[in-house]
């Protein structure tokens, strides 16, 4: 039964993608070999007490490396952004439930902010499997754009690059032949996921969202990172664990 | 390897390490990391008569060397627990400690009445008179010696199961509340639950926790817990289960020297889930290297 492990892993690369977001590679064949898009890792962050969760952004199975993106928002992420190649950190992973693409011919991936990291992993996995993938990403302005590819639909709030508006403006440009065979996956800030969820619902499309909440353990034992989901009980909702029951949820289950 | 078995009153434990309530759910998730049978015991998530959704919003705030939580006793309710989780805990090979919470005397009484018929699967009831994150009950009862004595004596009439009273450190005199538990017929006290605290986001000037306050746990609270165990050890006749900030085997030894017969470990496992595996090996090595029985360490504090 005992099989999950905490790994001591080496940082193999670190680079800044823009002013406050960096991209880190770690050597861990176990995680690189088994992770699926939407899963995350919990990484020890310098002097702070708790580990920090990050969605897996890419894996290189041959080298045994996996990658995460980190936006500096506080002390822990600031310390991680100053990590040096060759140093070792404690890591738990892969954690949580990833995206289930089974049964869909066409997949739309959409997101913004640090959500573009798990989107990147999903894109790489799906294109390698020969799936029909459309990506639409939204950012505040041109200086924030990261991990973008020419084939992606790009939107910005400022309009200084791509389509002016939110990802909804970008999603509206996609021709959807058969909504029942199309899956949309969204990773981004709550207002974005809520809007994408409503957009998908209007079109009768299944929508998966990757929720985010302040976490402590990441493995389902502390009940700190709750997500409110619909329930048939007297309250009409129940709190489930983002880390263990998610982070990926069917958007129709979430109480927004 | 050294002998690390201990006793808490009539309860024999193969190791002093018990997973603390609220930091291990019912053990299932941790069984994915290690064999739970190495543990002395597992204390269940705090249970109530009816299911509780817990507190809304942000429930965790990191602090120096620890964290605040305001989970608010989210749990599936005792009936669901008996149906779905109790057998798993029993089969884990660790002693089964069921953590009992409530909002009123009646709640605690109903809980013990509900659990007592399942006593063949339970090693002890840990009566949580100390949760800082629910508005009524728990800590209100747990900070009043008379109320502690009363509820303990009422529960004593209802069951032969060992009653461990888990006390709050948020009181002026921990000896008074511990003695009240003893006078009510408790078999042991568990010291300590979390220390009530608050963190504020200076940008929004709002508390980080949506519940405003939460319980502080982690290595930072260890000296407070050690002091309380040592104080109570001087006046109590019943055993003490020490809890608060344990992160390595030396912390376990410190608690036992202070007067604990066993210990609970929690917050450190949120960071390193398999930590009890290392601590168990280290304790065995310590006992073997020093040619002693771990249980003989309890209460050996040499005060100045």
């Amino acid at each position: 039964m005992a099989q999950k492990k905490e790994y001591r892993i080496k940082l193999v690369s670190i680079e800044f993608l823009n002013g406050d977001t960096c991209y880190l590679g770690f050597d861990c064949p176990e995680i690189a070999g088994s992770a699926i898009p939407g899963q995350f890792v919990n990484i020890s962050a310098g002097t702070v007490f708790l580990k920090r969760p990050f969605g897996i952004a890419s894996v290189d199975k041959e080298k045994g490396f996996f990658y995460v993106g980190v936006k500096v928002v506080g002390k822990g992420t600031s310390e991680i952004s100053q990590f040096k190649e060759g140093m070792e950190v404690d890591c738990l992973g892969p954690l949580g439930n990833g995206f289930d693409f089974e049964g869909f011919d066409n997949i739309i991936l959409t997101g913004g902010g640090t959500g573009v990291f798990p989107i990147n992993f999903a894109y790489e996995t799906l294109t390698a499997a020969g799936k029909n993938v459309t990506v639409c990403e939204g950012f505040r302005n041109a200086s924030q754009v990261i991990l973008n590819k020419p084939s992606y639909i790009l939107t910005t709030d400022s309009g200084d690059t791509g389509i002016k508006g939110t990802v909804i403006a970008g999603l509206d440009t996609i021709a959807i032949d058969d909504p029942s065979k199309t899956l949309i996956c969204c990773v981004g800030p709550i207002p974005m996921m809520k809007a994408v969820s409503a957009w998908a619902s209007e079109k009768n499309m299944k929508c998966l969202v990757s929720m985010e909440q302040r976490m402590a353990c990441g493995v389902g034992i502390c009940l700190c990172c709750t997500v409110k989901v619909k329930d048939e009980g007297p309250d009409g909702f129940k709190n489930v664990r983002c880390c263990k029951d998610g982070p990926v949820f069917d958007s129709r289950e979430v109480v927004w | 390897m050294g002998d690390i078995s201990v006793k808490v009153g009539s309860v024999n434990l193969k190791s002093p390490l018990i997973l603390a309530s609220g930091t291990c759910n019912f053990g299932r998730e941790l069984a994915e990391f290690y064999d739970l049978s190495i543990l002395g015991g597992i204390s269940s998530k705090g249970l109530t008569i009816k299911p509780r959704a817990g507190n809304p919003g942000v429930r965790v705030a990191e602090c120096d060397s620890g964290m605040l939580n305001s989970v608010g006793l989210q749990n599936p309710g005792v009936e669901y627990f008996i149906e779905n989780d109790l057998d798993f805990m029993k089969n884990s090979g660790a002693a089964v400690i069921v953590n009992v919470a409530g909002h009123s005397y009646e709640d605690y009484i109903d809980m013990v009445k509900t659990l007592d018929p399942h006593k063949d699967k339970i090693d002890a009831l840990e009566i949580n008179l100390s949760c800082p994150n629910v508005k009524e009950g728990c800590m209100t009862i747990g900070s009043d010696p008379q109320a502690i004595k009363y509820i303990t004596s009422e529960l004593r009439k209802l069951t032969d199961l060992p009653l461990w009273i888990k006390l709050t450190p948020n009181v002026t005199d921990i000896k008074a509340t511990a003695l009240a538990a003893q006078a009510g017929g408790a078999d042991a006290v568990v010291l300590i639950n979390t220390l009530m605290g608050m963190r504020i986001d200076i940008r929004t000037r709002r508390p980080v926790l949506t519940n405003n306050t939460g319980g502080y746990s982690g290595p930072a609270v260890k000296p407070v817990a050690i002091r309380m165990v040592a104080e109570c050890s001087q006046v109590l006749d019943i055993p003490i289960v020490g809890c608060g900030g344990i992160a390595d085997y030396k912390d376990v030894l410190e608690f036992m020297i202070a007067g604990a017969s066993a210990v609970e470990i929690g917050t450190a496992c949120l960071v390193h889930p398999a930590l009890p595996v290392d601590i168990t090996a280290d304790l065995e090595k310590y006992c073997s290297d020093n040619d002693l029985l771990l249980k003989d360490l309890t209460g050996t504090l040499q005060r100045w």
Side-chain angles (χ1 to χ4, degrees), chain A residues 1-6 48-52 90 92 214 216-217 219-224 226 239 241 244, chain B residues 22-25 29-34 45 53 58-60 62 66-67 71 74 208 219 267 270-273:
Chain A
M1 181 71 177
Q3 47 189 315
K4 274 196 188 170
K5 262 173 127 174
E6 181 169 11
V48 298
F49 183 70
L50 297 169
K51 288 188 167 70
R52 296 292 188 268
D90 293 326
L92 291 165
R214 274 179 197 251
C217 70
V219 299
I221 52 178
C222 71
L223 313 193
C224 284
T226 46
N239 287 319
R241 302 162 296 182
K244 186 79 177 176
Chain B
T23 62
C24 59
N25 215 9
E29 297 79 5
L30 289 168
E32 295 176 23
F33 286 89
Y34 65 97
K45 174 72 199 165
V58 173
R59 293 176 169 187
V60 56
E62 189 161 23
M67 59 180 264
V71 172
Q74 177 178 338
V208 175
T267 304
L270 304 185
V271 185
H272 303 292

Side-chain angles (χ1 to χ4, degrees), chain A:
Chain A
M1 181 71 177
Q3 47 189 315
K4 274 196 188 170
K5 262 173 127 174
E6 181 169 11
Y7 300 103
R8 185 87 182 151
I9 59 174
K10 190 179 277 186
L11 180 72
V12 291
S13 62
I14 177 163
E15 59 172 316
F16 268 85
L17 301 178
N18 64 23
D20 61 7
T21 306
C22 55
Y23 197 66
L24 298 90
F26 292 96
D27 185 353
C28 184
E30 294 88 348
I31 293 176
S34 62
I36 64 166
Q39 288 189 302
F40 65 98
V41 291
N42 227 3
I43 291 176
S44 58
T47 61
V48 298
F49 183 70
L50 297 169
K51 288 188 167 70
R52 296 292 188 268
F54 302 104
I56 296 167
S58 183
V59 299
D60 183 332
K61 289 187 186 180
E62 272 180 31
K63 289 183 179 158
F65 296 169
F66 76 86
Y67 297 83
V68 295
V70 177
K71 182 181 166 79
V72 176
V73 291
K75 193 176 175 211
T77 45
S78 172
E79 290 194 23
I80 290 175
S81 75
Q82 290 160 44
F83 280 1
K84 303 282 179 246
E85 282 175 22
M87 71 176 281
E88 290 187 340
V89 298
D90 293 326
C91 175
L92 291 165
L95 301 173
N97 299 310
F99 290 105
D100 181 4
F101 306 114
E102 202 57 43
F104 292 94
D105 298 336
N106 306 304
I107 289 138
I108 301 171
L109 303 173
T110 188
T114 52
V116 301
F117 294 112
I119 293 289
N120 185 69
F121 186 20
Y123 176 79
E124 288 178 354
T125 306
L126 289 166
T127 48
K131 295 270 190 179
N132 184 16
V133 191
T134 310
V135 182
C136 171
E137 290 180 344
F139 300 91
R140 281 207 305 279
N141 55 51
S143 75
Q144 295 290 312
V145 176
I146 48 174
L147 291 188
N148 195 250
K149 290 185 167 63
S151 64
Y152 290 4
I153 300 163
L154 176 65
T155 71
T156 55
D157 298 341
S158 63
D160 57 357
T161 182
I163 300 168
K164 182 176 166 59
T166 67
V167 288
I168 299 297
L171 293 173
D172 279 337
T173 67
I174 302 170
I176 295 157
D177 298 333
D178 186 350
S180 68
K181 289 185 178 159
T182 307
L183 173 70
I184 181 161
C185 301
C186 183
V187 195
I190 293 287
M192 177 191 281
M193 292 196 287
K194 187 178 174 181
V196 169
S197 168
W199 183 88
S201 168
E202 220 169 75
K203 296 190 159 38
N204 286 319
M205 281 165 54
K206 184 171 179 177
C207 175
L208 298 176
V209 290
S210 179
M211 302 300 284
E212 196 174 62
Q213 181 59 278
R214 274 179 197 251
M215 279 182 193
C217 70
V219 299
I221 52 178
C222 71
L223 313 193
C224 284
C225 61
T226 46
V227 172
K228 228 180 203 186
V229 298
K230 290 171 189 160
D231 183 53
E232 288 170 355
D235 297 335
F237 77 91
K238 63 178 177 181
N239 287 319
V240 297
R241 302 162 296 182
C242 186
C243 67
K244 186 79 177 176
D245 302 307
V248 173
F249 293 90
D250 187 320
S251 71
R252 290 167 297 192
E253 291 175 11
V254 176
V255 178
W256 292 101

